[in-house]
Amino acid sequence: MPPDSAPPTPVSDRVRHATALDAPGIGALKVRAWRAAYGSFMSRALLDSLDPAEDAARWAEYLSDIPADHRLWVSEAAGGVTGFCRTGPTDARRDADLGGAAAEVHGLYIDPARIGTGLGRALFAHAVTDLERRGHGPVCVYAYTPNTTAVRFYERAGFTADGTTRLDPDDGIEVPEVRLVKR
């Protein structure tokens, strides 16, 4: 398969733009995904405090007035959200070295029961292809450094860690993230 073509979405899953009606499914999925993926390096108290309804309310608000240069993609099967991926511009100050056309995959979450099915690969490829078709590049993604599974996933997708790290002061999580870039 040529490197610029996305792998097919699994037959049972459809990728589309998210709507505010997806917010409950996105909120519930995010909480499940965080608890499954981050349990080994985030505090149990933090993970236990996550509330799907509160998260859904934040997603509904975001989707009600999504900025024009952002996208929130969902994958669905049998009417339920099986994954989501959010994209948009990079932080112009933090990622200035990437240039003005750079974009970021701000999050990719797959239902833990669907990990390993190819769904994550298809959803991520869809989101990155959309950014590239809209003239963005390079594209970056940040991953928590202890989450070696995610780092390997992004490397297999053609992204390379470039040595840039961050601690996100807005999220209150004291876990460093590494930037991976596809140029």
Side-chain angles (χ1 to χ4, degrees), residues 91-180:
D91 181 305
R93 290 166 294 159
R94 179 191 65 226
D95 297 308
D97 61 311
L98 296 178
E104 181 175 346
V105 176
H106 294 284
L108 170 69
Y109 295 99
I110 302 300
D111 189 308
R114 303 296 303 273
I115 301 289
T117 65
L119 177 60
R121 200 169 42 252
L123 182 55
F124 187 70
H126 180 92
V128 171
T129 298
D130 172 70
L131 288 169
E132 292 170 342
R133 284 185 181 149
R134 290 188 293 128
H136 292 289
V139 176
C140 74
V141 61
Y142 283 84
Y144 291 114
T145 55
N147 191 354
T148 56
T149 301
V151 172
R152 283 192 310 268
F153 172 88
Y154 296 128
E155 288 172 341
R156 284 191 307 272
F159 286 67
T160 304
D162 70 355
T164 300
T165 60
R166 73 176 183 191
L167 278 176
D168 191 346
D170 295 330
D171 68 12
I173 299 169
E174 296 296 322
V175 178
E177 295 176 283
V178 61
R179 183 174 76 182
L180 296 100

Coordinates of all heavy atoms in Angstrom, one line a residue, residues 91-180:
D91 N 0.3 24.3 19.0 CA 0.5 25.5 19.8 C 1.6 26.3 19.2 O 2.7 25.8 19.1 CB 0.8 25.1 21.2 CG 1.0 26.2 22.2 OD1 1.9 27.1 21.8 OD2 0.4 26.3 23.2
A92 N 1.3 27.5 18.7 CA 2.2 28.3 17.9 C 3.5 28.6 18.7 O 4.6 28.7 18.1 CB 1.5 29.6 17.4
R93 N 3.4 28.8 20.0 CA 4.6 29.1 20.8 C 5.4 27.8 21.1 O 6.6 27.8 20.9 CB 4.2 29.8 22.1 CG 3.7 31.2 21.9 CD 3.0 31.7 23.1 NE 1.8 30.9 23.3 CZ 1.2 30.7 24.5 NH1 1.6 31.4 25.5 NH2 0.1 30.0 24.6
R94 N 4.7 26.8 21.5 CA 5.4 25.6 21.9 C 6.0 24.9 20.7 O 7.1 24.3 20.8 CB 4.4 24.6 22.7 CG 5.1 23.3 23.1 CD 4.0 22.3 23.6 NE 3.2 21.9 22.5 CZ 1.8 21.9 22.5 NH1 1.2 22.1 23.6 NH2 1.2 21.5 21.4
D95 N 5.3 24.9 19.6 CA 5.7 24.1 18.4 C 6.2 25.0 17.3 O 6.1 24.6 16.1 CB 4.6 23.2 18.0 CG 4.3 22.1 19.1 OD1 5.2 21.4 19.5 OD2 3.1 22.0 19.4
A96 N 6.7 26.2 17.6 CA 7.0 27.2 16.6 C 8.1 26.6 15.6 O 8.1 27.0 14.4 CB 7.6 28.5 17.2
D97 N 8.9 25.7 16.1 CA 10.0 25.2 15.2 C 9.4 24.3 14.1 O 10.1 24.0 13.1 CB 10.9 24.3 16.1 CG 10.3 23.1 16.8 OD1 9.2 23.3 17.4 OD2 10.8 22.0 16.7
L98 N 8.1 23.9 14.2 CA 7.5 23.1 13.1 C 7.0 24.0 12.0 O 6.6 23.5 10.9 CB 6.4 22.3 13.7 CG 6.8 21.2 14.7 CD1 5.6 20.4 15.2 CD2 7.9 20.3 14.1
G99 N 6.8 25.3 12.2 CA 6.3 26.2 11.1 C 4.8 26.4 11.2 O 4.1 25.8 12.0
G100 N 4.4 27.4 10.5 CA 3.0 27.9 10.6 C 2.0 26.9 10.0 O 0.8 27.1 10.3
A101 N 2.3 26.0 9.2 CA 1.3 25.1 8.6 C 1.2 23.8 9.4 O 0.5 22.9 9.1 CB 1.7 24.7 7.2
A102 N 2.0 23.7 10.5 CA 2.0 22.4 11.3 C 0.6 22.2 12.0 O -0.1 23.1 12.3 CB 3.1 22.5 12.4
A103 N 0.3 20.9 12.2 CA -0.9 20.6 12.8 C -0.6 19.4 13.8 O 0.5 18.8 13.8 CB -1.9 20.1 11.8
E104 N -1.6 19.2 14.7 CA -1.4 18.2 15.8 C -2.6 17.3 15.9 O -3.7 17.7 15.7 CB -1.2 18.9 17.1 CG -1.0 18.0 18.3 CD -0.7 18.7 19.6 OE1 -0.4 19.9 19.6 OE2 -0.7 18.0 20.6
V105 N -2.3 16.0 16.1 CA -3.3 15.1 16.5 C -3.4 15.2 18.0 O -2.4 14.8 18.7 CB -3.0 13.7 16.1 CG1 -4.0 12.7 16.6 CG2 -2.9 13.6 14.5
H106 N -4.4 15.8 18.5 CA -4.5 16.2 19.9 C -5.0 15.0 20.8 O -5.0 15.1 22.0 CB -5.5 17.4 20.1 CG -4.9 18.6 19.6 ND1 -3.9 19.4 20.1 CD2 -5.3 19.3 18.4 CE1 -3.7 20.4 19.4 NE2 -4.5 20.4 18.4
G107 N -5.4 13.9 20.2 CA -5.9 12.8 20.9 C -6.4 11.7 20.0 O -7.1 12.0 19.0
L108 N -6.1 10.5 20.4 CA -6.6 9.3 19.7 C -7.0 8.3 20.8 O -6.1 7.9 21.5 CB -5.6 8.7 18.7 CG -5.9 7.3 18.1 CD1 -7.1 7.4 17.2 CD2 -4.7 6.7 17.4
Y109 N -8.3 7.9 20.8 CA -8.7 7.0 21.8 C -9.6 5.9 21.2 O -10.5 6.3 20.4 CB -9.5 7.7 23.0 CG -8.5 8.6 23.7 CD1 -8.5 9.9 23.5 CD2 -7.6 8.0 24.6 CE1 -7.6 10.7 24.1 CE2 -6.7 8.9 25.3 CZ -6.7 10.2 25.0 OH -5.8 11.0 25.7
I110 N -9.3 4.7 21.5 CA -10.1 3.5 20.9 C -10.7 2.8 22.1 O -10.0 2.6 23.1 CB -9.1 2.6 20.1 CG1 -8.4 3.4 19.0 CG2 -9.8 1.4 19.6 CD1 -9.4 4.0 18.0
D111 N -11.9 2.2 21.9 CA -12.4 1.4 22.9 C -11.4 0.3 23.3 O -10.9 -0.4 22.4 CB -13.7 0.8 22.4 CG -14.5 0.1 23.5 OD1 -13.9 -0.8 24.2 OD2 -15.7 0.3 23.7
P112 N -11.1 0.1 24.6 CA -10.1 -0.9 24.9 C -10.4 -2.3 24.4 O -9.4 -3.0 24.1 CB -10.1 -0.9 26.5 CG -10.6 0.5 26.8 CD -11.6 0.9 25.7
A113 N -11.6 -2.6 24.2 CA -12.0 -3.9 23.7 C -11.7 -4.0 22.2 O -11.6 -5.1 21.6 CB -13.5 -4.2 23.9
R114 N -11.4 -2.9 21.5 CA -11.1 -2.9 20.1 C -9.6 -2.7 19.8 O -9.3 -2.7 18.6 CB -11.9 -1.7 19.4 CG -13.4 -1.8 19.6 CD -14.1 -3.0 19.0 NE -13.8 -3.1 17.6 CZ -14.5 -2.5 16.6 NH1 -15.6 -1.8 16.9 NH2 -14.2 -2.7 15.3
I115 N -8.8 -2.6 20.8 CA -7.4 -2.4 20.6 C -6.9 -3.7 19.9 O -7.2 -4.8 20.2 CB -6.6 -2.3 21.9 CG1 -7.1 -1.0 22.7 CG2 -5.1 -2.3 21.7 CD1 -6.7 0.3 22.1
G116 N -6.0 -3.5 18.8 CA -5.5 -4.6 18.1 C -6.3 -5.0 16.9 O -5.9 -6.0 16.2
T117 N -7.4 -4.4 16.6 CA -8.3 -4.8 15.5 C -8.0 -4.0 14.2 O -8.5 -4.3 13.2 CB -9.8 -4.5 15.9 OG1 -10.0 -3.1 16.0 CG2 -10.2 -5.3 17.1
G118 N -7.1 -3.0 14.3 CA -6.8 -2.2 13.1 C -7.6 -0.9 13.2 O -7.4 0.0 12.3
L119 N -8.6 -0.8 14.1 CA -9.4 0.4 14.1 C -8.6 1.7 14.5 O -8.7 2.7 13.8 CB -10.5 0.2 15.2 CG -11.4 1.4 15.4 CD1 -12.1 1.8 14.2 CD2 -12.4 1.1 16.5
G120 N -7.7 1.6 15.4 CA -6.8 2.7 15.8 C -6.0 3.2 14.6 O -5.9 4.4 14.3
R121 N -5.4 2.2 13.9 CA -4.6 2.5 12.7 C -5.4 3.2 11.7 O -5.0 4.2 11.1 CB -4.0 1.2 12.2 CG -2.8 1.4 11.3 CD -2.1 0.0 11.1 NE -3.0 -1.1 10.8 CZ -3.2 -2.1 11.6 NH1 -2.6 -2.2 12.8 NH2 -4.0 -3.1 11.3
A122 N -6.6 2.7 11.4 CA -7.5 3.3 10.4 C -8.0 4.7 10.8 O -7.9 5.6 9.9 CB -8.7 2.4 10.1
L123 N -8.4 4.9 12.0 CA -8.9 6.2 12.4 C -7.7 7.2 12.4 O -7.9 8.4 12.0 CB -9.5 6.1 13.8 CG -10.1 7.3 14.5 CD1 -11.2 8.0 13.5 CD2 -10.7 7.0 15.8
F124 N -6.6 6.8 12.9 CA -5.4 7.7 13.0 C -5.0 8.1 11.5 O -4.8 9.3 11.2 CB -4.2 7.1 13.7 CG -3.1 8.0 13.9 CD1 -3.1 9.0 14.8 CD2 -1.9 7.8 13.2 CE1 -2.0 9.9 15.0 CE2 -0.8 8.6 13.4 CZ -0.9 9.6 14.3
A125 N -5.0 7.1 10.6 CA -4.6 7.4 9.2 C -5.6 8.4 8.6 O -5.2 9.3 7.8 CB -4.5 6.1 8.4
H126 N -6.9 8.2 8.9 CA -7.9 9.1 8.4 C -7.7 10.5 8.8 O -7.7 11.4 8.0 CB -9.3 8.6 8.8 CG -10.4 9.4 8.3 ND1 -11.1 9.1 7.2 CD2 -11.0 10.5 8.8 CE1 -12.0 10.0 6.9 NE2 -12.0 10.9 7.9
A127 N -7.4 10.7 10.1 CA -7.2 12.0 10.6 C -6.0 12.7 10.1 O -6.0 13.9 9.7 CB -7.1 12.0 12.2
V128 N -4.9 11.9 10.0 CA -3.6 12.5 9.4 C -3.8 12.8 7.9 O -3.3 13.9 7.5 CB -2.4 11.5 9.7 CG1 -1.2 12.0 8.9 CG2 -2.2 11.4 11.2
T129 N -4.4 11.9 7.2 CA -4.6 12.2 5.8 C -5.5 13.4 5.6 O -5.2 14.2 4.7 CB -5.3 10.9 5.1 OG1 -4.4 9.8 5.2 CG2 -5.6 11.2 3.7
D130 N -6.5 13.6 6.4 CA -7.3 14.8 6.3 C -6.4 16.1 6.5 O -6.6 17.1 5.8 CB -8.4 14.8 7.3 CG -9.2 16.1 7.4 OD1 -9.9 16.5 6.4 OD2 -9.0 16.8 8.4
L131 N -5.6 16.1 7.5 CA -4.7 17.2 7.8 C -3.8 17.5 6.6 O -3.7 18.6 6.2 CB -3.8 17.0 9.0 CG -4.6 17.0 10.4 CD1 -3.7 16.5 11.5 CD2 -5.0 18.4 10.7
E132 N -3.2 16.4 6.1 CA -2.3 16.6 4.9 C -3.0 17.1 3.7 O -2.5 18.0 3.0 CB -1.6 15.3 4.6 CG -0.6 14.9 5.7 CD 0.0 13.5 5.6 OE1 -0.6 12.7 4.9 OE2 1.0 13.3 6.3
R133 N -4.2 16.6 3.5 CA -5.0 17.1 2.3 C -5.4 18.5 2.4 O -5.6 19.2 1.4 CB -6.3 16.2 2.1 CG -6.0 14.9 1.5 CD -7.2 14.1 1.3 NE -6.9 12.8 0.7 CZ -7.6 11.7 0.9 NH1 -8.7 11.7 1.6 NH2 -7.2 10.6 0.4
R134 N -5.5 19.0 3.7 CA -5.9 20.4 3.9 C -4.7 21.3 3.9 O -4.7 22.5 4.3 CB -6.7 20.6 5.2 CG -8.1 20.0 5.1 CD -9.0 20.2 6.2 NE -8.6 19.6 7.5 CZ -8.4 20.2 8.6 NH1 -8.6 21.5 8.8 NH2 -8.1 19.5 9.7
G135 N -3.5 20.7 3.6 CA -2.3 21.5 3.5 C -1.5 21.7 4.7 O -0.6 22.5 4.8
H136 N -1.8 20.9 5.7 CA -1.0 21.0 7.0 C 0.2 20.1 6.9 O 0.1 19.0 6.4 CB -1.9 20.6 8.2 CG -3.0 21.6 8.5 ND1 -2.7 22.8 9.0 CD2 -4.3 21.5 8.3 CE1 -3.9 23.4 9.2 NE2 -4.9 22.7 8.7
G137 N 1.2 20.5 7.5 CA 2.4 19.7 7.7 C 3.6 20.6 8.2 O 3.6 21.8 7.9
P138 N 4.4 20.0 8.9 CA 4.4 18.6 9.4 C 3.2 18.4 10.4 O 2.6 19.4 10.9 CB 5.8 18.4 10.1 CG 6.2 19.8 10.5 CD 5.6 20.7 9.4
V139 N 3.0 17.2 10.7 CA 2.0 16.8 11.7 C 2.7 16.2 12.9 O 3.6 15.4 12.7 CB 1.0 15.7 11.1 CG1 0.0 15.3 12.1 CG2 0.3 16.3 9.8
C140 N 2.2 16.6 14.1 CA 2.8 16.0 15.3 C 1.8 15.4 16.2 O 0.6 15.7 16.0 CB 3.6 17.1 16.0 SG 2.7 18.3 16.9
V141 N 2.2 14.6 17.1 CA 1.4 14.1 18.2 C 2.2 13.9 19.4 O 3.4 13.7 19.3 CB 0.8 12.7 17.7 CG1 1.9 11.7 17.5 CG2 -0.2 12.2 18.7
Y142 N 1.6 14.2 20.5 CA 2.3 14.0 21.8 C 1.8 12.7 22.5 O 0.6 12.5 22.4 CB 2.1 15.2 22.7 CG 2.9 16.4 22.4 CD1 2.5 17.3 21.4 CD2 4.2 16.6 23.0 CE1 3.3 18.4 21.1 CE2 4.9 17.8 22.7 CZ 4.5 18.6 21.7 OH 5.2 19.7 21.4
A143 N 2.7 12.0 23.1 CA 2.3 10.8 23.8 C 3.0 10.8 25.2 O 4.2 11.2 25.3 CB 2.7 9.5 23.1
Y144 N 2.3 10.3 26.2 CA 3.0 10.2 27.5 C 4.1 9.3 27.4 O 4.0 8.2 26.9 CB 2.0 9.7 28.6 CG 0.9 10.7 28.9 CD1 -0.4 10.5 28.6 CD2 1.2 11.9 29.5 CE1 -1.4 11.4 28.9 CE2 0.2 12.9 29.8 CZ -1.1 12.6 29.5 OH -2.1 13.5 29.8
T145 N 5.3 9.7 27.9 CA 6.5 8.9 27.7 C 6.4 7.5 28.3 O 6.9 6.5 27.7 CB 7.8 9.6 28.2 OG1 7.6 10.0 29.6 CG2 8.1 10.8 27.4
P146 N 5.7 7.3 29.5 CA 5.6 5.9 30.0 C 4.7 5.0 29.1 O 4.7 3.8 29.2 CB 5.0 6.0 31.4 CG 5.1 7.5 31.7 CD 5.2 8.2 30.4
N147 N 3.9 5.6 28.2 CA 3.0 4.9 27.4 C 3.7 4.4 26.1 O 3.5 4.8 25.0 CB 1.8 5.7 27.0 CG 0.6 4.9 26.4 OD1 0.8 3.7 26.1 ND2 -0.5 5.6 26.2
T148 N 4.6 3.4 26.3 CA 5.4 2.9 25.2 C 4.6 2.3 24.1 O 5.0 2.3 23.0 CB 6.5 1.9 25.8 OG1 5.8 0.9 26.4 CG2 7.5 2.6 26.7
T149 N 3.4 1.7 24.5 CA 2.6 1.2 23.4 C 2.1 2.2 22.5 O 2.2 2.0 21.2 CB 1.3 0.5 24.1 OG1 1.8 -0.5 25.0 CG2 0.4 -0.1 23.0
A150 N 1.7 3.4 23.0 CA 1.3 4.5 22.1 C 2.5 5.0 21.3 O 2.4 5.3 20.1 CB 0.7 5.6 22.9
V151 N 3.7 5.2 21.9 CA 4.8 5.7 21.2 C 5.2 4.7 20.0 O 5.4 5.2 18.9 CB 6.0 5.8 22.2 CG1 7.3 6.2 21.4 CG2 5.7 6.9 23.2
R152 N 5.2 3.4 20.3 CA 5.4 2.4 19.2 C 4.4 2.5 18.1 O 4.7 2.4 16.9 CB 5.5 1.0 19.8 CG 6.8 0.7 20.5 CD 7.0 -0.7 20.8 NE 5.9 -1.4 21.4 CZ 5.7 -1.5 22.7 NH1 6.6 -1.0 23.6 NH2 4.6 -2.1 23.2
F153 N 3.1 2.7 18.5 CA 2.0 2.8 17.5 C 2.3 4.0 16.6 O 2.2 3.9 15.4 CB 0.7 3.1 18.3 CG -0.5 3.4 17.4 CD1 -1.2 2.4 16.8 CD2 -0.8 4.7 17.1 CE1 -2.3 2.7 16.0 CE2 -1.9 5.0 16.3 CZ -2.6 4.0 15.7
Y154 N 2.6 5.2 17.1 CA 2.9 6.3 16.3 C 4.1 6.1 15.5 O 4.2 6.6 14.3 CB 3.0 7.6 17.2 CG 1.7 7.9 17.9 CD1 1.7 8.1 19.3 CD2 0.5 8.0 17.2 CE1 0.5 8.4 19.9 CE2 -0.7 8.3 17.8 CZ -0.7 8.5 19.2 OH -1.9 8.7 19.8
E155 N 5.2 5.5 16.0 CA 6.3 5.2 15.2 C 6.0 4.3 14.0 O 6.5 4.5 12.9 CB 7.4 4.6 16.1 CG 8.0 5.6 17.0 CD 9.0 4.9 18.1 OE1 8.9 3.7 18.3 OE2 9.8 5.7 18.6
R156 N 5.2 3.3 14.2 CA 4.8 2.4 13.1 C 4.0 3.2 12.1 O 3.9 2.8 10.9 CB 4.0 1.2 13.6 CG 4.9 0.2 14.3 CD 4.1 -1.1 14.6 NE 2.9 -1.0 15.3 CZ 2.8 -1.0 16.7 NH1 3.9 -1.1 17.4 NH2 1.6 -0.8 17.2
A157 N 3.3 4.3 12.5 CA 2.6 5.1 11.5 C 3.4 6.1 10.8 O 2.9 7.0 10.1 CB 1.4 5.8 12.3
G158 N 4.7 6.1 11.0 CA 5.6 7.0 10.3 C 6.1 8.2 11.1 O 6.7 9.1 10.5
F159 N 5.8 8.3 12.3 CA 6.1 9.4 13.2 C 7.4 9.1 13.9 O 7.7 8.0 14.3 CB 5.0 9.8 14.2 CG 3.8 10.4 13.5 CD1 3.0 9.7 12.6 CD2 3.5 11.7 13.8 CE1 1.9 10.3 12.0 CE2 2.4 12.4 13.2 CZ 1.6 11.7 12.3
T160 N 8.2 10.1 14.1 CA 9.5 10.0 14.8 C 9.6 10.9 16.0 O 9.3 12.1 15.8 CB 10.7 10.3 13.8 OG1 10.5 9.4 12.7 CG2 12.0 10.0 14.4
A161 N 10.1 10.4 17.1 CA 10.3 11.3 18.3 C 11.4 12.3 17.9 O 12.5 11.8 17.4 CB 10.6 10.5 19.5
D162 N 11.2 13.5 18.2 CA 12.2 14.5 17.8 C 13.0 15.2 19.0 O 13.7 16.1 18.8 CB 11.6 15.6 16.9 CG 10.7 16.5 17.6 OD1 10.4 16.3 18.8 OD2 10.2 17.5 17.0
G163 N 12.8 14.6 20.2 CA 13.5 15.1 21.3 C 12.7 16.2 22.1 O 13.2 16.5 23.2
T164 N 11.7 16.7 21.6 CA 10.9 17.7 22.3 C 10.0 17.0 23.3 O 9.3 16.0 23.0 CB 10.0 18.5 21.3 OG1 10.9 19.2 20.3 CG2 9.1 19.5 22.0
T165 N 9.9 17.5 24.5 CA 9.1 17.0 25.5 C 8.3 18.2 26.2 O 8.7 19.3 26.0 CB 9.8 16.2 26.6 OG1 10.8 17.2 27.2 CG2 10.6 15.0 26.1
R166 N 7.2 17.8 26.9 CA 6.4 18.8 27.5 C 5.8 18.2 28.8 O 5.6 17.0 28.9 CB 5.4 19.4 26.6 CG 4.2 18.5 26.4 CD 3.1 19.1 25.5 NE 2.0 18.2 25.3 CZ 1.0 18.4 24.5 NH1 1.0 19.5 23.8 NH2 0.0 17.6 24.4
L167 N 5.4 19.1 29.7 CA 4.5 18.8 30.8 C 3.4 19.8 30.5 O 3.6 21.0 30.4 CB 5.1 19.1 32.1 CG 6.0 18.0 32.7 CD1 6.6 18.5 34.1 CD2 5.2 16.7 33.0
D168 N 2.2 19.3 30.4 CA 1.0 20.2 30.1 C 0.5 20.8 31.4 O -0.1 20.1 32.2 CB 0.0 19.4 29.4 CG -1.1 20.3 28.8 OD1 -1.2 21.5 29.2 OD2 -1.9 19.8 28.0
P169 N 0.8 22.1 31.7 CA 0.3 22.7 32.9 C -1.2 22.8 33.0 O -1.7 22.9 34.1 CB 1.0 24.0 32.9 CG 1.2 24.3 31.5 CD 1.5 23.0 30.8
D170 N -1.9 22.7 31.9 CA -3.3 22.9 31.9 C -4.0 21.7 32.4 O -5.2 21.7 32.9 CB -3.8 23.3 30.6 CG -3.3 24.7 30.2 OD1 -3.1 25.5 31.1 OD2 -3.2 24.9 29.0
D171 N -3.4 20.5 32.2 CA -4.1 19.3 32.5 C -3.9 18.8 34.0 O -4.5 17.9 34.4 CB -3.9 18.2 31.5 CG -2.5 17.6 31.5 OD1 -1.7 17.9 32.4 OD2 -2.2 16.9 30.6
G172 N -2.9 19.4 34.6 CA -2.6 19.0 36.0 C -2.0 17.6 36.2 O -1.9 17.1 37.3
I173 N -1.5 17.1 35.1 CA -0.9 15.7 35.1 C 0.6 15.9 35.0 O 1.1 16.5 34.0 CB -1.5 14.9 34.0 CG1 -3.0 14.7 34.1 CG2 -0.7 13.5 33.9 CD1 -3.6 14.1 32.9
E174 N 1.3 15.4 36.0 CA 2.7 15.6 36.0 C 3.5 14.4 35.3 O 4.4 13.9 35.9 CB 3.2 15.8 37.5 CG 2.7 17.0 38.1 CD 3.2 18.3 37.5 OE1 4.4 18.3 37.1 OE2 2.4 19.2 37.4
V175 N 3.0 14.1 34.1 CA 3.7 13.0 33.4 C 4.2 13.6 32.1 O 3.4 14.2 31.3 CB 2.7 11.9 33.1 CG1 3.3 10.8 32.2 CG2 2.1 11.3 34.3
P176 N 5.5 13.5 31.8 CA 6.0 14.1 30.6 C 5.5 13.4 29.3 O 5.2 12.2 29.3 CB 7.6 13.9 30.7 CG 7.7 12.7 31.7 CD 6.5 12.8 32.6
E177 N 5.4 14.3 28.3 CA 5.0 13.8 27.0 C 6.1 14.0 26.0 O 6.9 15.0 26.1 CB 3.7 14.5 26.5 CG 2.5 14.3 27.3 CD 1.4 15.1 26.9 OE1 1.3 16.3 27.2 OE2 0.5 14.6 26.2
V178 N 6.3 13.1 25.0 CA 7.2 13.2 24.0 C 6.5 13.6 22.7 O 5.4 13.1 22.4 CB 8.1 11.9 23.8 CG1 7.2 10.8 23.5 CG2 9.2 12.1 22.8
R179 N 7.1 14.5 21.9 CA 6.5 14.8 20.6 C 7.1 13.9 19.5 O 8.3 13.7 19.4 CB 6.9 16.3 20.3 CG 6.2 16.8 19.0 CD 6.5 18.2 18.7 NE 7.8 18.5 18.3 CZ 8.3 19.7 18.0 NH1 7.6 20.8 18.2 NH2 9.6 19.9 17.6
L180 N 6.2 13.4 18.7 CA 6.5 12.6 17.5 C 6.0 13.4 16.3 O 4.9 14.0 16.3 CB 5.9 11.2 17.6 CG 6.4 10.4 18.7 CD1 5.4 10.4 19.9 CD2 6.7 9.0 18.3

